[in-house]
Amino acid sequence: MKIAVDAMGGDFAPEAIVDGVIQASAEMPSDVTIVLIGQQSVINAILEKHNFKGANIEIIHADDVIEMGEHPTKALSQKPNSSIGVGFKLLKTGEVDVFASAGNTGAMMVGALFSVKAIEGVFRPAIAGFAPQTNGKYAVMLDIGANADVKPEMLAQFAELGSIYCRATTGEESPRVALMNIGEEEKKGSLIIQAAHQLMKENKKINFIGNIEGKDFFKGKADVIVTDGFTGNILLKMGESLYGIMAERGVRDSFLDGTNYEAVGGSPIIGVNGNVIIAHGASSPTAIKNMVHLCKKQVESKVYQKIKEALA
């Protein structure tokens, strides 16, 4: 297995990225190689600084860097030899099994759509997040930012995509799927949410349990939480803020630890023909280490192939 990581993407790149990859490499089995993509001399200098002597890290040189504030489409077209551009070339040709970056989220989304492309039958790929639950598990939530505006059919498909992802990665045979709403009643919410509820209710491929409210977000009521990207992004970042506030007050708790973005390390793009992981822009070495573990888990789950089979 080859896990490609953008060494130049992120607020604290490349130091934090390379540091995290070094940590992850020590925990990977011998058949896993981590491919760092970026400016070779810079990466080598950091590896030497950490006195890295392992053999399971490779470097592929990329001249350019897509900065966080750049326009995604323009940057990808103007910088084909950027670390993100090279990463998607390697993924498209099958030279790596997964590509991950803490860099420009828009460029990662556009790059995925233009290189490996959306799976046939997928209306719009979604970014999935992981919400810690009071039962010790994580709920898969989608979308968390790729699609701020949605149609009922998209939400209904997010339910199916999330269900397949949950089954493939956790082994949960019949994941409980819930729709985030302002009330549990079937007729609550916007016209879009009400229409999506009916579509999900009629879909025999998912275990739809109905609506949940914001107060249920962490309560372990669902394995898959469906929402639009605008709401999902706010919910997930609200959870992250809980960790920051409690840490500042000296409060430590296993549940709160799960709300820390470092705990999982990344978010997969679900619905494309390949394994693509987006990490938090402020990723620390610990977050990057956990992102690499998420990459390995996703490749092993063969989730995008299972989505293709389900939609064929």
Side-chain angles (χ1 to χ4, degrees):
M1 182 191 301
K2 285 198 170 186
I3 298 171
V5 176
D6 171 15
M8 314 307 290
D11 297 341
F12 305 112
E15 288 82 2
I17 311 302
V18 178
D19 187 354
V21 164
I22 291 171
Q23 292 181 33
S25 70
E27 300 173 358
M28 290 291 119
S30 59
D31 62 342
V32 174
T33 300
I34 305 173
V35 181
L36 279 168
I37 305 169
Q39 295 166 355
Q40 189 163 6
S41 60
V42 175
I43 296 170
N44 274 327
I46 299 171
L47 290 173
E48 289 174 12
K49 176 183 173 183
H50 287 272
N51 197 30
F52 178 74
K53 302 295 183 184
N56 58 344
I57 293 179
E58 293 181 3
I59 302 171
I60 292 184
H61 180 72
D63 294 311
D64 294 325
V65 178
I66 295 178
E67 303 295 342
M68 298 297 261
E70 289 192 72
H71 187 281
T73 308
K74 286 183 180 178
L76 281 167
S77 61
Q78 293 170 0
K79 295 181 176 180
N81 292 318
S82 65
S83 51
I84 290 180
V86 171
F88 278 115
K89 288 176 189 173
L90 295 172
L91 185 65
K92 184 179 180 180
T93 57
E95 294 172 73
V96 299
D97 299 292
V98 55
F99 175 48
S101 174
N104 187 307
T105 300
M108 287 295 290
M109 195 73 195
V110 171
L113 292 173
F114 278 87
S115 59
V116 293
K117 304 186 186 313
I119 291 170
E120 187 175 355
V122 170
F123 301 130
R124 290 289 299 274
I127 302 175
F130 302 94
Q133 303 295 297
T134 51
N135 60 11
K137 299 181 179 181
Y138 280 89
V140 180
M141 181 169 68
L142 64 170
D143 186 21
I144 63 161
N147 304 283
D149 297 301
V150 296
K151 296 178 179 179
E153 294 80 6
M154 291 167 62
L155 289 172
Q157 190 173 74
F158 291 168
E160 194 168 337
L161 296 178
S163 189
I164 296 168
Y165 184 91
C166 187
R167 264 199 311 272
T169 57
T170 69
E172 196 75 48
E173 289 186 13
S174 184
R176 297 162 300 160
V177 180
L179 180 63
M180 182 57 70
N181 203 345
I182 59 173
E184 294 182 359
E185 297 87 351
E186 193 170 322
K187 297 300 181 182
K188 280 285 185 77
S190 66
L191 294 176
I192 289 173
I193 293 293
Q194 290 180 45
H197 187 287
Q198 293 305 311
L199 291 173
M200 292 165 70
K201 184 179 177 182
E202 295 165 5
N203 189 344
K204 303 302 181 185
K205 296 180 181 178
I206 62 172
N207 177 19
F208 181 52
I209 61 169
N211 297 330
I212 60 170
E213 301 178 56
K215 65 182 176 64
D216 304 316
F217 184 49
F218 297 117
K219 293 291 185 67
K221 290 190 174 183
D223 303 300
V224 178
I225 300 171
V226 177
T227 184
D228 61 89
F230 184 88
T231 306
N233 192 277
I234 291 172
L235 282 169
L236 206 65
K237 288 179 178 174
M238 180 197 68
E240 290 176 10
S241 76
L242 290 176
Y243 175 80
I245 292 168
M246 292 299 104
E248 287 172 1
R249 298 186 177 193
V251 178
R252 293 302 303 268
D253 178 86
S254 58
F255 166 74
L256 288 172
D257 288 345
T259 64
N260 180 6
Y261 76 91
E262 293 179 323
V264 177
S267 298
I269 300 179
I270 300 180
V272 294
N273 283 293
N275 298 303
V276 182
I277 306 289
I278 298 172
H280 201 294
S283 286
S284 64
T286 299
I288 296 301
K289 180 191 75 170
N290 290 332
M291 178 196 76
V292 173
H293 280 282
L294 177 64
C295 287
K296 177 177 177 290
K297 182 179 179 180
Q298 177 140 336
V299 173
E300 290 173 340
S301 73
K302 299 182 179 179
V303 65
Y304 86 86
Q305 294 97 324
K306 291 175 181 176
I307 292 172
K308 286 178 72 172
E309 291 168 7
L311 299 183

